[in-house]
Amino acid sequence: MSLENKIKELEEQLQMEKMVKKSEVELNKELLERIEKHQLHIETLIKINEEYSNLIGKLRSRLKKLVVDPKTD
């Protein structure tokens, strides 16, 4: 193999590696965006769950009071 062919082959390999690197960077960016979106969904669901849990707790307490002493409410 001549030196020119070797240089050309190495340049092609370098170009391919650059393309792979660029592709990986783009994929990582997309994955980070998806992770951020999922974290936001989780935070929102936690808030909703807490609100409903509090409401359910209050309603259960009222029901227990009604069952034990229905005249007080």
Side-chain angles (χ1 to χ4, degrees):
M1 181 182 304
S2 70
L3 186 57
E4 289 177 9
N5 286 342
K6 184 65 175 174
I7 290 172
K8 185 175 180 179
E9 181 182 315
L10 289 172
E11 286 174 342
E12 289 173 357
Q13 284 180 349
L14 177 62
Q15 186 63 27
M16 286 175 49
E17 288 180 15
K18 285 180 180 180
M19 290 172 62
V20 168
K21 174 77 172 177
K22 185 176 180 179
S23 176
E24 288 175 346
V25 167
E26 186 63 32
L27 178 61
N28 284 342
K29 179 184 172 191
E30 291 172 9
L31 289 173
L32 287 172
E33 289 172 357
R34 286 179 63 193
I35 289 170
E36 189 69 30
K37 182 179 176 182
H38 288 172
Q39 287 176 335
L40 179 60
H41 283 164
I42 290 169
E43 290 172 9
T44 304
L45 290 172
I46 287 171
K47 288 179 184 176
I48 291 169
N49 191 22
E50 295 234 352
E51 289 175 16
Y52 280 111
S53 294
N54 289 337
L55 179 60
I56 289 170
K58 289 176 185 176
L59 291 173
R60 279 185 177 178
S61 176
R62 288 183 65 192
L63 280 173
K64 286 179 184 177
K65 287 179 184 176
L66 288 173
V67 168
V68 172
D69 189 10
K71 296 177 185 177
T72 59
D73 202 21

